[in-house]
Amino acid sequence: MNIHHVDLYQHYGLTGPEGHEGNLTAWIFATSHEVSRNRRRPAVLILPGGGYARTSDREAEPLAYRFLAKGYVPFILRYTCEGHHFPVQLREAAMAMRFIREHADAWEIDPNMVAAIGFSAGGHLCGTLGMMYDCPEVADIGDGAMIRPDALCLSYPVTLGWGSTHEGTMESISGGDQELRMRLSLDRQVRPDMPPTFLWHTRDDQAVPCRNSIILAEKMDEAGVDFTFHLYRHGWHGLSLANDQVYPAHIQGHFSPNVVGWLDDCCQFWAETGFHITDSMG
C-alpha cells in the first residue's frame, strides 16, 4: 500500500482562504501484476465530522482501514473548518472528487464507482456534495459529472437548518447568515438525480436529533431517490465504526449490538447499485 498526501489548492494552482486545509490523503493499493493486469476498484471519499470546527480522527483513518479491507481505495479529506463558511468546504470536496477521477487510471480506480461518506457535519458536507455538485460555487472546479459522487453514505448527519438540529454545525457553515442557512438545509436540496444514498442514525442521538435523518428520508422518498435508511435503537453521537478500533470494550455495551454492522450494510447497498471490483483476468 502506498500513501499519498496532496494539498489540493497547491495541486490545482488555487489560492485558498487564510489558514486553509484542503488536504487529501490517498491510500493506494500496490497491486501486483501477478494478481491482475487490469484491475479496477471502487473508491470512497471520507469526510470526517466535527461540527465544522475540526475533522475527527475517529472518523478518518479507522474508516480507511475498513474500506481497504472491503477492496475500496479510500481517500480522507481534511477540509477547512473553524472560521470559514460555505462554499469553502464544498469546493474542497469538489476538488477531491475531481482529483480522484483524474487519477483513476494511474491508481486502478473505476471512475464510475467513486462514493462519498460523511459523519455528522461531514455528513452535511457529503450531502451538499451529492445534491449541489453543479451549483455555481463549484462551476470552476469541474462539471457535475466530474464532481458528483456515484453513491453516498450519510452517517448520523446534520441535515436541517431549522427546528431541532445541531446549532453549532449550521451556524459554522452559514456564518450566521439565515438565508444561506436555509439554502444549506439538505431537506430543501433533495433532487431526484442525486446519488443512491445509505442513511443511518441512532434513535437516542443527543447531539444530532434523529429527526434530521427521518425528515431527509421522507424528502428523498418523495423525490424518488434510490436510498435505504437504518435507524438503530441505541448509540450516542459520533459512533464511527462502533467497535474496539474507536471505543474501549466497556463502552460498547451502550450501543445497540447490530449498529456495528452499518458499514457492511452500506457496502452491500452500494454493491446492489453496481459497486464491485472488476478484473479482466476473471
Side-chain angles (χ1 to χ4, degrees):
M1 183 179 67
N2 300 310
I3 299 179
H4 299 262
H5 301 283
V6 181
D7 180 326
L8 291 169
Y9 287 101
Q10 183 179 44
H11 179 80
Y12 286 113
L14 298 175
T15 301
E18 184 177 354
H20 69 81
E21 290 198 43
N23 298 310
L24 187 67
T25 301
W27 303 53
I28 307 302
F29 284 89
T31 304
S32 169
H33 285 181
E34 294 179 7
V35 177
S36 171
R37 293 190 178 91
N38 193 28
R39 178 158 292 185
R40 290 292 180 268
R41 300 178 183 272
V44 58
L45 174 63
I46 300 169
L47 303 169
Y52 286 120
R54 62 184 181 89
T55 51
S56 168
D57 293 334
R58 188 170 58 240
E59 296 160 346
E61 282 76 8
L63 274 300
Y65 284 117
R66 279 294 302 277
F67 277 113
L68 280 168
K70 293 285 188 181
Y72 282 74
V73 181
F75 295 78
I76 300 170
L77 177 63
R78 297 288 188 169
Y79 52 89
T80 301
C81 288
E82 194 166 16
H84 298 283
H85 319 302
F86 179 87
V88 171
Q89 298 82 2
L90 179 58
R91 286 178 58 79
E92 292 171 358
M95 284 191 278
M97 290 297 297
R98 174 179 169 180
F99 183 90
I100 293 169
R101 288 198 166 109
E102 286 178 342
H103 290 77
D105 286 342
W107 289 343
E108 299 182 336
I109 294 169
D110 188 323
N112 298 310
M113 298 183 197
V114 183
I117 180 172
F119 301 82
S120 190
H124 180 268
L125 176 56
C126 190
T128 61
L129 181 64
M131 301 175 195
M132 300 176 67
Y133 52 84
D134 55 1
C135 70
E137 289 86 352
V138 297
D140 63 316
I141 304 297
D143 61 22
M146 179 67 75
I147 293 172
R148 178 186 181 274
D150 298 300
L152 301 177
C153 177
L154 307 182
S155 304
Y156 41 89
V158 181
T159 70
L160 301 178
W162 53 273
S164 183
T165 187
H166 190 265
E167 283 296 318
T169 294
M170 295 310 298
E171 283 297 299
S172 291
I173 192 61
S174 67
D177 182 324
Q178 291 303 302
E179 183 177 349
L180 177 58
R181 176 173 170 145
M182 290 302 101
R183 180 186 174 202
L184 298 178
S185 191
L186 297 185
D187 60 308
R188 302 185 178 197
Q189 290 292 342
V190 169
R191 50 195 286 180
D193 61 347
M194 64 181 284
T197 300
F198 184 92
L199 173 65
W200 72 278
H201 219 117
T202 54
R203 176 66 182 83
D204 51 6
D205 188 324
Q206 296 299 307
V208 179
C210 66
R211 70 189 304 274
N212 279 255
S213 289
I214 292 171
I215 290 172
L216 182 63
E218 181 180 6
K219 293 298 183 181
M220 289 193 294
D221 183 53
E222 291 173 356
V225 176
D226 183 5
F227 80 99
T228 189
F229 176 34
H230 291 231
L231 182 62
Y232 300 97
R233 185 180 182 192
H234 291 307
W236 54 51
H237 190 70
L239 286 181
S240 179
L241 294 174
N243 63 16
D244 57 9
Q245 292 187 49
V246 291
Y247 286 105
H250 73 277
I251 293 179
Q252 294 176 54
H254 296 279
F255 311 153
S256 292
N258 60 337
V259 73
V260 73
W262 73 263
L263 191 142
D264 291 335
D265 292 338
C266 173
C267 289
Q268 178 60 39
F269 173 76
W270 287 351
E272 291 171 5
T273 70
F275 277 60
H276 62 285
I277 298 174
T278 60
D279 192 332
S280 64
M281 295 182 68

